[in-house]
Amino acid sequence: MLSQDIKYLSGVGPRRSELLKKELGITTYGDLLEYFPYKYVDRSRVYSIDELYHMTTEMPFVQVKATILSFEEFDMGYRKKRIIAHASDGHGIADIVWFNGTKYIYNNYHVGKEYIIFGRPTMYNGRIQFSHPDIDEATKLELSEMGMQPYYMTTEKMKKSGVNSRAMEKLTKTLLQKLTAPLKETLPPFITQRLHLISRDEAMRLIHYPKTIEDTQRAQVRLKFEELFYVQLNILRYASDHRRKYRGYIFEHVGALFNGFYHNNLPFELTGAQKRVIREIREDMRSGRQMNRLLQGDVGSGKTLVALMSMLIAIDNGFQACIMAPTEILAEQHLATIKDFLKGMSLRVELLTGVVKGKRREEILQGLANGEVNILVGTHAVIEDNVQFRRLGFAVIDEQHRFGVAQRAKLWEKSQNPPHILVMTATPIPRTLAMTIYGDLDVSVIDELPPGRKPVQTIHKFDNQTASLYNGIRQQIRQGRQVYIVFPLIQESEKMDLQNLEQGFEALRGIFPEFRLSKVHGKMKSKEKEVEMQRFVNGETQILVATTVIEVGVNVPNASVMVILDAQRFGLSQLHQLRGRVGRGADQSYCILVTNRNLAKETAKRIDIMCQTNDGFQIAEADLKLRGPGDLEGTQQSGIAFDLKIADIARDGQIVQLARDEAQTIIDNDPTCIKPEYALLWNRLAEIRKTNINWGAIS
């Protein structure tokens, strides 16, 4: 029955079924059943009107039982009326206000009749007032039956067509009454009994129609666990298959190149975290299985150095290595950093991007094919069909969320066996999210900054305090420092009142006539961008005016000030990435967040978090809670579907961990998915995978 077309459900029909499909993706009875309420309101209690007059804080949704005494009308301009009904319950008088729907109101509500009025009351002119509340005839509504009323998300289009939360509630009730037989169980008793989870049938009925708060909690825990459990089971099954099928190259020894670099070229002592991560990578590379490791580390924590030292182990064992970056600027930055580290060592390092053409490109391709090129640094150009390595053993993917699964998989085809893969990101990922999106990767974290680095000081200024800001910039430049000024957009947008980079650049030239300025944005040609960036890197210009194109891959230790204009337009992770462009030298660095005064509550919270902490993981956790997982940069391209129906990665961390532990136990006990006692789980997983084609591999 659950696979039946929604249009056959009483109260739906062809027109509504089209609307449900278009707006919410609901096409079957099963889809409607799994469209869960987002909140509940207690409908079991009736308040008296005089009780509401004594409430001092913001009033919650309440219901009163009152009789309409009279109606009043007020003209609101051309063909518009405000209608007020005065109602009493014998203990006080309340006003019910409507701003539209005159005909409907007079047809449905009558003087002398008693109604249940449900809504959020406010105080207006000393009277309790309800605007556009839910109203039912008192005789037709059995309050003891109401319990906790569910609320469903609906769109504007749906509301205009009369399909509001109340209508969704009625449809769900109709469906549940139709489902007379218990719903099929999707978890075996050995899981539900041990974890004290209610049955799927009970959970589905209680999630839509709970009598008490405890009912909603029991239903939510069961359904959240089930959803997260199957996500984890899918990821871990994939990872387990992968490890069994693919053998990795065995890099047995650490040779002359690694040791020579360690003793002669290493510019500073490695941090404890860097040493730990290199040990973890080293263990993977000699284990005989293909490494798939995610390396997380805040901006400036030394991930590139760890990647380079790991590549040297591969080269010591007779293999080639490559590093793939999402942009030309970042690829060029990696090349410069690696060449600088390897000074005096006889290794051939080449760059391959879209701008490398003709004879130069031919030479590089030939060097890769005959093994003369030891390390290739590049963009997407690295995975083009005509790029052939002699023996690729180690591949690094930087800022991996910018690459699709198919693009990453192409790297595998460059080698007889899949190369060892190290995925790097400077976007710290909260643990619960990493467990879910990158569940098939082993995770390493560099959680220490190199010694001698001073934390960046973050200051919030309003846009009417620019005079002191400009004076501060002048002082820093006169001390020999350089400054970034970041704008949110390149061209003016009619929809958003954003400062325009082009106009801003001209204005800044007028404000700082004594200094030289560079300008960089995404619409510029690569060559122009490179020239402007290089001028700033060489110290020829003191101020770099840019968009977020400088978010990754720009390393200028002399730059000590990052000014972010219209900072309210940026997400936390992006602000943190931009801040990471400064604080790379020994001097005190500053990040100035400039906003208007009229900040939304959530935006003000974001700005406060940035001013309070430099810890990328704390910021990522906060970002996850504020925005939810689907909005975080990169999760949409990760290859894992993120359309969780009831679980919330940000708030359900404990359930994520519990689900993962349970799924791991199943994989450990039945790695090849053949034991009869787990048949229910493998069959259910196959069902889910059929309906959710986005589930896929990460690495």
Side-chain angles (χ1 to χ4, degrees), residues 275-307:
K275 286 177 182 172
R276 184 188 69 240
V277 171
I278 289 170
R279 276 198 302 275
E280 288 167 355
I281 292 169
R282 172 89 187 90
E283 282 308 308
D284 283 351
M285 293 199 297
R286 63 175 171 209
S287 69
R289 64 181 180 88
Q290 186 221 3
M291 176 176 85
N292 268 308
R293 189 166 282 280
L294 172 69
L295 175 55
Q296 285 185 249
D298 234 331
V299 180
S301 60
K303 294 184 300 296
T304 308
L305 180 58
V306 166

Side-chain angles (χ1 to χ4, degrees), residues 149-199:
Q149 185 178 2
Y151 273 70
Y152 297 84
M153 285 285 189
T154 55
T155 65
E156 281 309 310
K157 224 177 198 175
M158 290 170 72
K159 287 182 186 114
K160 277 178 186 163
S161 301
V163 186
N164 56 12
S165 174
R166 201 71 183 277
M168 292 297 289
E169 186 190 341
K170 283 174 184 163
L171 292 178
T172 314
K173 191 168 228 169
T174 304
L175 174 60
L176 284 169
Q177 284 164 350
K178 234 174 144 52
L179 298 170
T180 48
L183 292 165
K184 193 173 74 172
E185 188 48 83
T186 49
L187 291 174
F190 64 80
I191 290 182
T192 54
Q193 285 167 13
R194 194 162 40 77
L195 299 180
H196 307 291
L197 298 172
I198 60 176
S199 71

Side-chain angles (χ1 to χ4, degrees), residues 325 327-339 351-356 377-379 526-527 529-531 533-534 553:
T327 65
E328 284 175 8
I329 285 184
L330 188 49
E332 284 156 9
Q333 189 78 50
H334 278 314
L335 181 79
T337 305
I338 288 169
K339 281 193 161 174
L351 176 74
L352 191 66
T353 66
V355 294
V356 180
V377 181
T379 53
S526 294
K527 203 72 204 146
K529 222 177 333 187
E530 179 53 33
V531 167
M533 278 302 315
Q534 214 46 59

Side-chain angles (χ1 to χ4, degrees), residues 338-357:
I338 288 169
K339 281 193 161 174
D340 196 42
F341 275 138
L342 296 177
K343 244 181 213 152
M345 294 181 70
S346 54
L347 285 169
R348 186 173 166 193
V349 185
E350 294 287 4
L351 176 74
L352 191 66
T353 66
V355 294
V356 180
K357 292 192 167 68

